[in-house]
Amino acid sequence: MDFDANSDMSSPLSSIPSLSPSPPDFYPSPSSSQEYSDVSLPTDGLDPLPAAMECDGPPPAKKRKIAEPKPRTTKHLNLFPTSDPVTSCQSSELDLLLKVLRKRRKVVVIAGAGISVSAGVPDFRSSTGLFTTLRGQHNLKGSGKDLFDASVYRTDSSTSSFHDMVRSLSHLVTSAQPTAFHHLLATLAQEGRLLRLYSQNVDGIDTSLPPLATKVPLNTKGPWPRTIQLHGGLEKMVCQKCHNLSDFQAALFDGPEPPSCPQCMDMDHVRTTHAGKRSHGIGRLRPRMVLYNEHNPDDEAIGAVTTADLRSRPDAIIVVGTSLKIPGVRRIVREMCGVVRGRRDGVAIWINNDPEPLGREFENCWDLVVRGDCEEVAKHAALRRWDDNDIGKFAICTAEEMEKVKREKGLAEVVVHTPKKNKSFKELQGVLTPIASPVFKPAPKLKVVASERPAKLEAISKAKKNPASKGAPISEILKKAPPGTAKSSKKGKPQKAPKKTSTIKDMPKITNTFKVTKKKPPTTFGKGSKTTKSALPKALQETSLSPPLPMHPISPQEARNNTQCSQMFPNLSKTSILDTEKPLPFTDSNMDTVSPKGPLPAHLAKILN
């Protein structure tokens, strides 16, 4: 329906031109933060909104300022004795080294044969090492490294050369003494700051110190010893058959034939001589040291302890006296350096006469490279020896001096402030543990003897009357009620009032289907009874009879036999009833029998009559 602008039905306001701008073709939906969407705000003369407020959606999240990690640089320290003393420009590097040795709490040390050179035990790969000297001593075609390969047991000549080398090396180790750097490691272990020492040495000089003792063989589960021998040692020898461990005896390893295992010989003698069985063979002994190209018996335990140390995140690692030519050791060093340098305060140190290893895997791996002998490092550290119990000079204070100090300065008080607890710990303290539920003791049961029952009932009735008996005591109600009608109620629950029985008029008419007969009243024995004992069977005449009790219980056997003999004769035993020729008749003053047989309530008998 169209309306004209000049029609009568048009309003005077409709002719006024609208001041609002023409609506656009597309209405954008308002943002979620706008409270009043119907109110249009004038935009003339106002500054335009920023771009962040014009776009829909929540405001952009604030960017957190994260400080970029400081770039790590590798510092170098020269400790060669021929060089000049440590200059001022290298004092910061020396301070860093001493700070690690004196302050750090979880230090991991990976040591090689270089730490034992000062003790008189040669290393392996230097110009004066074993790989060079053994070649000339044993007329080897190749390097002396061949004597540390598992192939030495293939020929008699190589086996004999290996035994000679092991015997001479054992003599060197026996006469060697721990160096200053060994004592430095022992001091770190005694102070609890040495997390682990991974040793590649087979000389056993480090493990001879008590703080650096190890366990052979290593257990796969913790706790582990301080020192982990990666390549075994010359302290033990092992049987290749029964794997029995014993102390190393250099005199047994002479000639091309390995010594026999004494334990295997004893077992074989007992088996063949006494048991009459065939021999299982006798094992051969060898030093418990890992050779090239053979399985390490402790590889699983070494992997477990390395994983545990990586999880504990050590704060410093020191790689000393090794060239890192063994692939397994290279991997341990690379992973350990990555974990240590992952910490903000972690420091990785390389100590050796030779420069640090090259390669992509060790690129940017060290914080400090120390060129020089490890004995110079121990000299600069100047740590107390682990077995030094001297605490310095001191003067003994007398009792008079103590009293004088007390009078002048008074007693010293030590105030220990409790550290503030975290908020989360306070919240946990607010959670109360529920207490145990109270245990109520049940009320003692009243034991009433038959002779004391009337006196007890009178006392109870006088103390408190039953409200359901209209003021009458309980004893009178029980006396008036015929025997067998009173029923015991549960403790704690009042007896319910008996329901009103319907009268004869209200009950429907019943046809004469059942034949009703009345039974004789029960025989009683008392003062007013006419029945004598001669009318009873002989078994009942011999028993002493007493009047029945109103609430005397019956046994299940008597209930199944459909008799109330125990109510009438409580002193009668079961054997006397079974011995009678005829069973006692069932009688009840309040019960009638209906044919077919069965008990019938008294009110139903009245209805039938």
Side-chain angles (χ1 to χ4, degrees):
M1 184 176 181
D2 299 334
F3 293 95
D4 193 6
N6 298 327
S7 61
D8 298 335
M9 297 180 65
S10 61
S11 173
L13 297 176
S14 61
S15 60
I16 301 175
S18 176
L19 298 179
S20 60
S22 60
D25 298 336
F26 172 72
Y27 290 91
S29 58
S31 61
S32 58
S33 62
Q34 187 175 353
E35 295 183 2
Y36 304 98
S37 60
D38 297 333
V39 180
S40 60
L41 299 176
T43 59
D44 298 339
L46 298 179
D47 297 335
L49 296 176
M53 298 180 62
E54 290 180 357
C55 62
D56 295 339
K62 295 182 179 179
K63 292 184 178 181
R64 183 181 178 183
K65 294 183 179 180
I66 301 176
E68 296 182 358
K70 295 181 180 180
R72 286 182 175 267
T73 58
T74 303
K75 300 179 180 180
H76 295 267
L77 177 63
N78 190 357
L79 292 180
F80 282 115
T82 57
S83 61
D84 298 333
V86 178
T87 59
S88 59
C89 60
Q90 289 188 336
S91 59
S92 61
E93 288 81 357
L94 183 60
D95 293 342
L96 177 61
L97 175 62
L98 299 181
K99 181 180 179 181
V100 170
L101 295 176
R102 296 173 180 174
K103 301 297 182 181
R104 293 305 166 95
R105 296 296 178 182
K106 291 192 292 185
V107 182
V108 173
V109 178
I110 300 176
I115 65 174
S116 301
V117 173
S118 300
V121 180
D123 58 358
F124 290 93
R125 290 182 170 83
S126 65
S127 58
T128 58
L130 292 175
F131 289 170
T132 303
T133 58
L134 290 176
R135 179 181 179 182
Q137 293 176 4
H138 298 278
N139 297 323
L140 300 176
K141 295 181 180 180
S143 172
K145 182 180 177 181
D146 297 339
L147 291 181
F148 292 91
D149 195 275
S151 60
V152 295
Y153 289 104
R154 291 182 179 178
T155 62
D156 293 342
S157 60
S158 60
T159 305
S160 179
S161 300
F162 174 70
H163 287 170
D164 293 341
M165 183 269 298
V166 168
R167 193 169 58 254
S168 61
L169 188 60
S170 176
H171 292 323
L172 286 175
V173 169
T174 305
S175 59
Q177 297 295 327
T179 63
F181 194 82
H182 286 106
H183 287 286
L184 182 144
L185 297 177
T187 302
L188 293 178
Q190 188 190 42
E191 294 176 357
R193 298 191 293 116
L194 180 66
L195 179 62
R196 202 76 60 199
L197 169 62
Y198 293 93
S199 176
Q200 303 179 70
N201 300 335
V202 296
D203 49 36
I205 299 177
D206 45 11
T207 56
S208 63
L209 299 175
L212 300 176
T214 187
K215 183 185 292 185
V216 179
L218 290 175
N219 48 338
T220 56
K221 295 183 179 180
W224 294 282
R226 293 289 182 184
T227 304
I228 303 297
Q229 290 181 325
L230 299 177
H231 301 151
L234 286 176
E235 305 97 335
K236 300 290 182 180
M237 57 184 181
V238 62
C239 175
Q240 294 178 326
K241 183 179 183 298
C242 66
H243 304 287
N244 180 44
L245 284 173
S246 57
D247 294 335
F248 184 79
Q249 300 178 18
L252 297 177
F253 295 88
D254 189 10
E257 187 177 356
S260 301
C261 176
Q263 186 172 353
C264 290
M265 294 176 63
D266 296 340
M267 293 294 296
D268 187 75
H269 177 71
V270 172
R271 181 178 177 84
T272 56
T273 305
H274 298 280
K277 298 181 180 180
R278 64 183 179 87
S279 175
H280 279 182
I282 298 174
R284 299 292 179 173
L285 297 176
R286 56 160 291 180
R288 197 183 185 279
M289 56 184 293
V290 183
L291 303 177
Y292 289 104
N293 299 319
E294 76 169 350
H295 171 71
N296 190 342
D298 295 329
D299 58 350
E300 186 178 353
I302 293 173
V305 66
T306 305
T307 304
D309 291 344
L310 289 173
R311 290 178 179 175
S312 62
R313 300 191 66 196
D315 54 8
I317 178 174
I318 301 175
V319 182
V320 54
T322 177
S323 58
L324 295 182
K325 298 295 184 180
I326 308 300
V329 181
R330 292 170 68 95
R331 179 181 176 182
I332 295 176
V333 171
R334 184 178 66 253
E335 294 182 358
M336 204 70 71
C337 287
V339 172
V340 169
R341 300 196 80 188
R343 298 182 52 153
R344 182 176 298 179
D345 57 345
V347 181
I349 302 176
W350 168 269
I351 303 175
N352 206 321
N353 290 330
D354 300 328
E356 68 275 16
L358 302 177
R360 188 174 181 181
E361 57 181 340
F362 292 111
E363 186 178 358
N364 296 327
C365 190
W366 312 104
D367 294 304
L368 180 62
V369 175
V370 180
R371 296 286 303 278
D373 193 358
C374 57
E375 296 300 308
E376 294 292 328
V377 175
K379 187 185 299 184
H380 283 283
L383 297 181
R384 178 187 60 86
R385 284 186 51 158
W386 64 274
D387 55 350
D388 186 8
N389 297 324
D390 188 10
I391 60 176
K393 297 181 180 180
F394 59 92
I396 300 176
C397 182
T398 60
E400 297 177 356
E401 294 176 349
M402 290 180 60
E403 294 294 335
K404 182 180 179 180
V405 171
K406 289 180 181 179
R407 289 193 301 268
E408 294 178 356
K409 299 183 178 180
L411 296 176
E413 296 182 358
V414 179
V415 180
V416 180
H417 296 281
T418 305
K420 295 183 179 180
K421 298 179 180 179
N422 297 331
K423 185 177 180 181
S424 58
F425 183 78
K426 292 182 179 179
E427 293 177 356
L428 290 176
Q429 292 294 323
V431 180
L432 299 178
T433 304
I435 59 175
S437 302
V439 180
F440 298 99
K441 295 183 179 180
K445 298 181 180 180
L446 297 176
K447 296 182 180 179
V448 182
V449 188
S451 60
E452 300 178 358
R453 187 182 297 271
K456 293 283 184 182
L457 293 176
E458 290 180 4
I460 294 172
S461 62
K462 290 180 180 180
K464 185 177 182 181
K465 295 183 179 180
N466 188 5
S469 61
K470 298 181 180 181
I474 299 175
S475 58
E476 295 181 4
I477 295 174
L478 294 177
K479 290 179 181 179
K480 292 181 181 180
T485 57
K487 298 181 180 179
S488 61
S489 61
K490 295 182 180 179
K491 295 182 179 180
K493 294 183 179 181
Q495 282 187 343
K496 296 181 180 180
K499 297 182 180 180
K500 296 182 180 180
T501 57
S502 58
T503 58
I504 300 177
K505 294 181 180 181
D506 298 336
M507 295 295 293
K509 189 175 182 180
I510 300 176
T511 57
N512 191 10
T513 307
F514 301 92
K515 184 178 180 180
V516 181
T517 58
K518 288 186 177 181
K519 286 291 181 178
K520 295 180 180 181
T523 57
T524 57
F525 301 95
K527 295 181 180 181
S529 62
K530 297 179 181 180
T531 308
T532 60
K533 290 186 179 181
S534 60
L536 295 174
K538 294 181 180 180
L540 298 179
Q541 293 178 10
E542 296 175 359
T543 59
S544 59
L545 305 177
S546 61
L549 296 176
M551 297 179 66
H552 192 77
I554 63 175
S555 63
Q557 181 67 23
E558 295 171 350
R560 285 197 296 269
N561 293 338
N562 197 15
T563 177
Q564 293 183 345
C565 181
S566 62
Q567 294 185 11
M568 299 175 58
F569 312 106
N571 297 326
L572 185 62
S573 62
K574 291 184 179 180
T575 55
S576 62
I577 298 176
L578 296 175
D579 295 339
T580 56
E581 298 178 356
K582 296 181 180 181
L584 295 177
F586 173 79
T587 58
D588 196 344
S589 61
N590 293 339
M591 304 293 289
D592 294 330
T593 58
V594 182
S595 183
K597 297 180 180 180
L600 187 68
H603 64 274
L604 188 57
K606 293 179 181 179
I607 297 172
L608 296 177
N609 294 333

